[in-house]
Amino acid sequence: MAFVLLGFALENMTGLGYADVVRSNIFDPLGMKRATLAKPPDTEGVIPSLLNDWNTDEGTYGPTGGIYTTASDLALFARSMLTNKLLDTTTTNAWFHPRSYSSSWSFAYGMPWEIFRTSDMLSDSERIQTIVTKAGGLRGYSSQLLLIPEYNLGLVVFVAGDGYATSWLREEVLKLLIPAVENIGRDQTASKLSGSYISSDATINSSTTFEVYGSRGLVVTSWISNGTDFLTQFVNMSNPKRKPGNVQLTPSNISRGNNTKVWRAEYVLNKLPSEGIVNTNLIVDLDNFSYASRSLEEFVFELDKSGRAMKVNLPGFRITLDRQVDGETLNAFNVRLHELMKPLGLMH
């Protein structure tokens, strides 16, 4: 009934019929050419042999699930939400959050989402994945839209026939897809960000090294500031009880100008049992340490057009480090490559 009332409200606000509201604000801007509230010709539909609602006119109940469309068209809608094409980032992120919780830690209610959380997708990690979904169905038809913002990934499942197939397909695809995307993300992070970065000023002994370690992501394995082993100092400040862990970088999804990405360092404990009712073995705070009002934990990567890091800026230390390639800075490597290729007419 809520969606029926919403449909009436939209018609009253715009002076248009519900079908026109949806077409002008969603279908047309996203190029969803096969989406419609009017029944298409039978030759264009997948009509199951069992009892179905293909010919059912939803009437005023159209807003509850009266749209005819294709999987590829609904994928356009999913992509628009993940890329903020119709809504800005802040609105979208707020929309994806729960409005209330169920009796299970793994399920929450959104508006209008069904939000699932699971830690069973990765064999080498208990990191939780959040899956924002919306299921629908009429007689003979079932569908599910799944969005995984962490990976910027969407999945559309349509079934004409036994509705059980929808949940089966969802589970089988996710079991294959999530680990594969996770591995791709690790490989991309290693290629684009990992490695050693040093100061171009030979008089300053400052450098840092990042490596990708499985589910831990981007780990700081060396951190020298003006000749001082700052990695050891950071671990001691962050971890006075000497619990085992690693200094990891966490993406912040913010930038400091064009072609930059900000990551933050945090000491993350290895897997340990919960210490009482409130488990403190979590990342609960960032930017704990600063110097002259600038974070010592902030790393700002400067990227080239392909998204590969060329430099990393450490604002708290007032220094920028150049990425290394086989013992030389990436800038120097690119200059040398240019000079080598120029006689061949491959560089201009």
Side-chain angles (χ1 to χ4, degrees):
M1 183 57 67
F3 285 99
V4 174
L5 294 175
L6 177 61
F8 286 142
L10 289 172
E11 290 181 338
N12 187 57
M13 292 168 58
T14 63
L16 300 173
Y18 177 74
D20 293 326
V21 172
V22 176
R23 182 182 303 106
S24 60
N25 288 278
I26 300 176
F27 297 165
D28 289 346
L30 299 181
M32 298 174 63
K33 298 180 180 179
R34 303 291 297 277
T36 176
L37 272 81
K39 186 182 82 69
D42 290 354
T43 54
E44 297 182 10
V46 179
I47 306 174
S49 57
L50 69 161
L51 184 65
N52 64 79
D53 281 327
W54 173 259
N55 290 303
T56 300
D57 183 355
E58 293 294 317
T60 58
Y61 283 84
T64 68
I67 296 174
Y68 295 84
T69 191
T70 63
S72 58
D73 262 13
L74 191 56
L76 292 174
F77 178 71
R79 190 174 295 117
S80 76
M81 288 188 285
L82 293 170
T83 58
N84 307 302
K85 190 170 183 178
L86 294 180
L87 299 173
D88 60 67
T89 303
T90 301
T91 302
T92 301
N93 289 343
W95 192 26
F96 285 164
H97 275 66
R99 292 297 186 270
S100 62
Y101 294 89
S102 71
S103 58
S104 170
W105 73 267
S106 62
F107 180 77
Y109 301 97
M111 190 182 293
W113 310 106
E114 298 98 30
I115 302 172
F116 296 90
R117 308 191 78 206
T118 177
S119 59
D120 298 331
M121 303 303 297
L122 304 176
S123 61
D124 61 347
S125 172
E126 291 188 341
R127 192 175 80 247
I128 294 173
Q129 282 79 45
T130 300
I131 307 173
V132 181
T133 77
K134 185 58 195 169
L138 295 169
R139 288 183 301 177
Y141 295 94
S142 60
S143 62
Q144 194 155 61
L145 170 65
L146 302 98
L147 302 170
I148 311 175
E150 177 184 355
Y151 298 111
N152 207 31
L153 185 68
L155 178 66
V156 174
V157 180
F158 278 177
V159 169
D162 188 348
Y164 171 77
T166 307
S167 57
W168 181 86
L169 277 171
R170 177 195 66 206
E171 296 296 312
E172 294 304 309
V173 171
L174 286 177
K175 284 192 292 186
L176 295 173
L177 190 61
I178 297 301
V181 173
E182 174 76 13
N183 287 332
I184 291 172
R186 295 174 187 178
D187 291 343
Q188 289 180 341
T189 300
S191 171
K192 294 182 176 182
L193 300 180
S194 68
S196 296
Y197 298 74
I198 69 169
S199 171
S200 58
D201 186 347
T203 65
I204 300 177
N205 181 15
S206 293
S207 64
T208 187
T209 300
F210 314 114
E211 297 182 38
V212 173
Y213 282 100
S215 62
R216 296 176 183 176
L218 201 60
V219 174
V220 182
T221 57
S222 174
W223 190 353
I224 306 297
S225 176
N226 203 22
T228 299
D229 180 5
F230 190 75
L231 180 59
T232 298
Q233 300 298 323
F234 185 83
V235 170
N236 291 338
M237 291 188 299
S238 305
N239 181 39
K241 294 184 179 180
R242 302 296 192 270
K243 297 178 181 179
N246 295 274
V247 177
Q248 299 175 202
L249 293 191
T250 302
S252 67
N253 292 325
I254 61 176
S255 62
R256 294 278 186 261
N258 294 332
N259 299 320
T260 63
K261 291 293 183 182
V262 177
W263 291 55
R264 286 190 167 86
E266 179 72 11
Y267 189 80
V268 180
L269 299 177
N270 293 343
K271 180 181 177 182
L272 291 173
S274 175
E275 299 179 342
I277 295 175
V278 178
N279 184 1
T280 59
N281 297 325
L282 304 169
I283 300 176
V284 295
D285 199 7
L286 295 172
D287 289 341
N288 291 300
F289 309 112
S290 62
Y291 177 72
S293 300
R294 293 190 182 183
S295 172
L296 295 177
E297 303 169 26
E298 184 171 295
F299 291 76
V300 183
F301 290 96
E302 298 180 17
L303 313 176
D304 62 15
K305 293 181 180 179
S306 68
R308 190 181 186 198
M310 302 283 288
K311 301 172 181 289
V312 63
N313 177 258
L314 284 67
F317 295 85
R318 278 69 169 177
I319 193 170
T320 297
L321 308 176
D322 295 323
R323 192 178 187 186
Q324 300 292 288
V325 175
D326 296 330
E328 63 181 340
T329 67
L330 195 58
N331 280 337
F333 173 79
N334 286 337
V335 170
R336 184 163 61 85
L337 179 64
H338 184 279
E339 293 303 318
L340 289 171
M341 303 300 285
K342 190 173 182 179
L344 302 178
L346 300 177
M347 304 290 286
H348 301 282

